[in-house]
């Protein structure tokens, strides 16, 4: 009897002690709303439990799991859970909560999978944690698993799942979730309503968000903030501002988050097509509200204010906000640096960076990236590279910024070298990287590097991306691989106007003009509206075909679509009319252009020069010198060509001498060629010799070809022999110097020397190309070669090799053989 009473007394004492321990643990857990529980206290409580022999008490161990989790000791929590001999549902939920709080989602999902009886709380805990993770889409899979078990979702479930749908832009899944919320009657729950608003706005379905918002009986500050953010994101800034005004009028509490949201709308308005001055004024009104409400001490509000002023180019106001903030963060400094870079104050941006470091802030990658972008905008690639080299581990975005800078400055070899360095550092390129590299390969015409970039895109599964595929089409077409470009183009599931333009320009560049016209027609039939690039390519095709009728048709479409004042399209139209010999229409269009760039001036002057209107070329050039437009090296080539073709030798000498002295342009080989051509045509060969002696371009074959052509005209065998020797050395397979030297000897009666030159030509395997002509008629174009037997009837004309003659064309430094 006594032993039984003793046992009962011990059990009572243990139960009393267990109750005391449970009360202590519960008190520690309740204090978690304030400071985090002490890790030492949690371990001490565990020790008391073990010392009292209560290690198998499920209730106490459950409380210990919670306490360890709140104290930041997830490993201890899970160890305590695993020591339980018979864990219950509450034990599993406590362990899952501990794993989720520690960010160990793998352990949380394993625990969930091992639970004998899962409930809504278990699922909600894991779904919520996964929805907030780096892989929010996995929450949708868990949600489907919960539904398959027959568990009804709660408002917590739906809020987490809708957040995940918004994060991965899964609009269809979000709509299905909305339908289920309506079915179970949770669509009017405030948490679910706000989660639905956030999902629709993040998925870009603002119309659905507006309908939902209008149906909410009592929208709160979260509802208004989500709706304002969605409207701002869609570009309807005025609606976002009106909603903020409605929020204030209806008495809904305006908190710092709502203010930051509407300031973000103003900031986005400053970067778009909205009236920037109006956006700034509205932002200043919100700024006044911030001061009145006392939100100025909120760091996030201050940063958003700074960002709004910076994007509106009001850096003085941004600096005032910065100086008034009680505390600043690295984000605040970065906003200032970005703002000064956007307005072109690069020195000021560097000063802010120095001040930031002096204030004890360590620049992060965003800081260096912002400075990098500022230097790129200033076209200071060297400083950008120096800044890039300071970044210890640049992200792919930072790599792309520098690559784009090199590409924009046409430093394409540097672009390719930097891309190789990126690959050596195991940095995974993205679609932007590949597009930039393909652009550089296209500009350089380096097919081999382009193929390597293509291989990289296939390896990364990015070759079907529309952005990358457009770059591949452009690269292959510009490199002459038209069939491959067509193949890639035909396999694309989606095409934008850039892709069509790449295909059309590639065909036009390689003189596949009929195919270019066919693609242009298909592009319009597919609902694509041509851009200035489309029209420029088509106009260039008309110029190459010397087809005025087709050119006029394209010109009509240009006028209809409103591109007639685009300087690139306008320059192409001037070039087309000039190459078709219609200088009156070229000048008429030139005079109608409101804005003229240097290309338009050059095309007009060059058009006069090529059509034998040297006087008008000189006149237009001299008029240009009275305007704000300054000539470049191409302008001087054009006017010197005009002087040459029209015999204005003294004018040519004067313009040539003024290049460096007046305009600061160093003469290139092309300028010397034009002046030599002018002097040679006039028979002033002594001056030509003097000029050649002074210049440093003695290994340019074009110079000697021009001199040799002049020697033919003036039968100067001595100088012709000198020019021919240089050409034989520089371009031994070119038949022109052999033929021209032979003609000089023949004109002087030195037929033996002429035969010797032709024999030399034959012994070296040099073959003279046959000339050709073409005729446009109603059934198309007919091309024929020298000595072709066309079988023409009486009244038609025939072609004979006896009527062959050679005409020198300076443009592009080519020889064109014509037959008449």
């Amino acid at each position: 009897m006594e032993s039984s009473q003793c046992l009962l007394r011990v059990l009572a004492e243990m139960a009393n002690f267990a109750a005391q321990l449970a009360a202590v643990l519960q008190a520690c857990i309740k204090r978690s709303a304030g400071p985090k529980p002490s890790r030492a206290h949690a371990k001490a409580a565990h020790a008391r439990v073990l010392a009292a022999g209560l290690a198998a008490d499920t209730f106490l161990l459950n409380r210990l799991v919670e306490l360890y989790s709140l104290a930041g000791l997830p490993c201890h929590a899970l160890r305590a859970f695993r020591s339980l001999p018979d864990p219950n549902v509450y034990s599993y939920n406590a362990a899952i909560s501990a794993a989720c709080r520690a960010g160990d989602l793998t352990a949380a999902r394993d625990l969930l999978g091992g639970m004998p009886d899962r409930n809504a709380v278990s699922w909600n805990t894991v779904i919520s944690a996964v929805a907030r993770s780096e892989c929010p889409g996995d929450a949708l899979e868990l949600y489907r698993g919960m539904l398959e078990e027959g568990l009804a979702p709660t408002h917590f479930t739906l809020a987490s799942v809708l957040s995940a749908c918004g994060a991965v832009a899964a609009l269809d899944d979000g709509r299905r979730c909305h339908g289920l919320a309506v079915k179970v009657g949770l669509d009017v729950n405030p948490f679910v309503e706000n989660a639905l608003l956030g999902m629709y706005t993040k998925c870009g379905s603002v119309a659905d968000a507006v309908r939902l918002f209008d149906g909410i009986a009592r929208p709160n500050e979260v509802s208004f903030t989500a709706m304002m953010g969605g409207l701002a994101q869609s570009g309807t800034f005025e609606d976002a501002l009106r909603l903020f005004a409605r929020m204030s009028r209806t008495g809904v509490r305006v908190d710092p988050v709502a203010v930051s949201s509407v300031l973000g709308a103003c900031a986005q308005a400053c970067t778009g097509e909205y009236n920037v001055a109006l956006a700034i004024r509205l932002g200043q009104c919100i700024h006044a509200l911030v001061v009145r409400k006392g939100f100025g001490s909120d760091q996030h509000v201050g940063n958003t204010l700074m960002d709004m002023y910076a994007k509106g180019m009001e850096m003085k106001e941004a600096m005032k906000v910065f100086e008034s903030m009680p505390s600043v963060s690295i984000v605040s400094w970065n906003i200032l640096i970005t703002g000064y870079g956007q307005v072109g104050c690069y020195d000021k941006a560097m000063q802010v960076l120095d001040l930031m470091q002096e204030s004890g802030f360590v620049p992060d990658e965003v800081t260096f990236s912002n400075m990098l972008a500022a230097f790129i905008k200033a076209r200071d690639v060297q400083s950008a590279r120096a800044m890039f080299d300071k970044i210890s581990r640049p992200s792919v975005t930072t790599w792309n910024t520098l690559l784009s800078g090199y590409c924009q400055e046409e430093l394409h070899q540097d672009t390719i070298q930097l891309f190789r360095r990126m690959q050596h550092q195991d940095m995974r390129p993205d679609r932007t990287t590949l597009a930039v590299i393909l652009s550089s390969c296209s500009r350089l015409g380096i097919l081999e590097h382009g193929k390597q970039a293509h291989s990289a895109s296939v390896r990364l599964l990015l070759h079907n991306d529309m952005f990358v595929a457009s770059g591949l089409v452009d690269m292959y077409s510009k490199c002459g691989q038209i069939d491959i470009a067509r193949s890639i183009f035909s396999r694309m599931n989606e095409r934008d106007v850039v892709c069509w333009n790449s295909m059309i320009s590639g065909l036009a560049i390689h003189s596949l003009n009929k195919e270019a016209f066919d693609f242009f027609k298909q592009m319009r039939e597919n609902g694509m509206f041509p851009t200035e690039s489309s029209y420029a390519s088509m106009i260039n095709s008309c110029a190459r075909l010397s087809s005025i009728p087709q050119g006029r048709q394209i010109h009509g479409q240009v006028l209809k679509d409103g591109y007639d004042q685009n300087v690139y399209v306008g320059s192409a139209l001037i070039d087309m009319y000039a190459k078709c010999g219609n200088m009156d229409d070229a000048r008429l269009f030139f005079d109608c252009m409101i804005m003229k760039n240097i290309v338009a001036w050059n095309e007009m002057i060059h058009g006069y020069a090529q059509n034998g209107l040297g006087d008008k070329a000189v006149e237009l050039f001299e008029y240009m010198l009275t305007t704000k437009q300054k000539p470049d090296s191409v302008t001087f080539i054009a006017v010197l060509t005009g002087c040459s073709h029209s015999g204005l030798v003294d004018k040519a000498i004067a313009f040539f001498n003024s290049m460096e002295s007046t305009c600061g342009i160093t003469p290139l080989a092309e300028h010397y060629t034009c002046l030599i051509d002018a002097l040679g045509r006039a028979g002033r060969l002594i001056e030509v010799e003097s000029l050649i002696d002074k210049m440093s371009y003695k290994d340019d074959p074009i110079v000697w070809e021009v001199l040799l052509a002049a020697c033919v005209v003036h039968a100067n065998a001595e100088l012709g022999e000198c020019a021919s020797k240089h050409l034989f050395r520089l371009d031994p397979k070119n038949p022109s110097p052999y033929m021209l030297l032979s003609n000089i000897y023949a004109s002087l009666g030195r037929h033996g020397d002429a035969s010797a030159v032709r024999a030399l030509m034959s012994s070296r395997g040099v073959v003279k190309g046959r000339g050709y002509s073409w005729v446009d008629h109603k059934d198309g174009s007919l091309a024929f070669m020298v000595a072709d037997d066309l079988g023409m009837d009486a009244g038609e004309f025939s072609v004979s090799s006896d009527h062959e003659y050679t005409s020198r064309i300076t443009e592009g430094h080519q020889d064109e053989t014509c037959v008449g």
Side-chain angles (χ1 to χ4, degrees), residues 62 127 151 196 244 246 362 399 423 539 564 596 616 619:
N62 287 347
I127 289 171
L151 292 172
L196 281 166
F244 181 73
R246 174 183 162 188
V362 179
W399 283 96
Q423 290 179 303
I539 293 165
D564 53 307
K596 303 179 184 74
K616 289 192 175 183
E619 179 185 346

Side-chain angles (χ1 to χ4, degrees), residues 78 81-82 92 95-96 99 106-115 118:
L78 293 176
F81 165 78
R82 293 189 184 99
Y92 273 100
I96 288 171
T106 302
R109 296 180 73 161
D110 289 343
L111 287 166
L112 179 68
M115 279 186 74
R118 290 180 283 270

Side-chain angles (χ1 to χ4, degrees), residues 164-177:
C165 291
V168 297
L171 181 59
D172 290 338
D173 287 314
R175 283 179 172 152
R176 282 192 286 270
C177 194

Side-chain angles (χ1 to χ4, degrees), residues 775 782-785 788-800:
V775 176
L782 176 65
F784 48 90
M785 304 293 290
D788 278 346
D789 183 6
L790 301 180
M792 294 183 173
D793 296 328
E796 295 184 320
F797 59 89
S798 60
V799 179
S800 171

Side-chain angles (χ1 to χ4, degrees), residues 223-241:
S223 313
F224 274 98
T225 302
M227 194 66 245
M228 285 188 295
L231 292 169
Q233 184 179 349
S234 67
T236 53
F237 309 109
E238 291 181 342
D239 290 340
L241 295 170

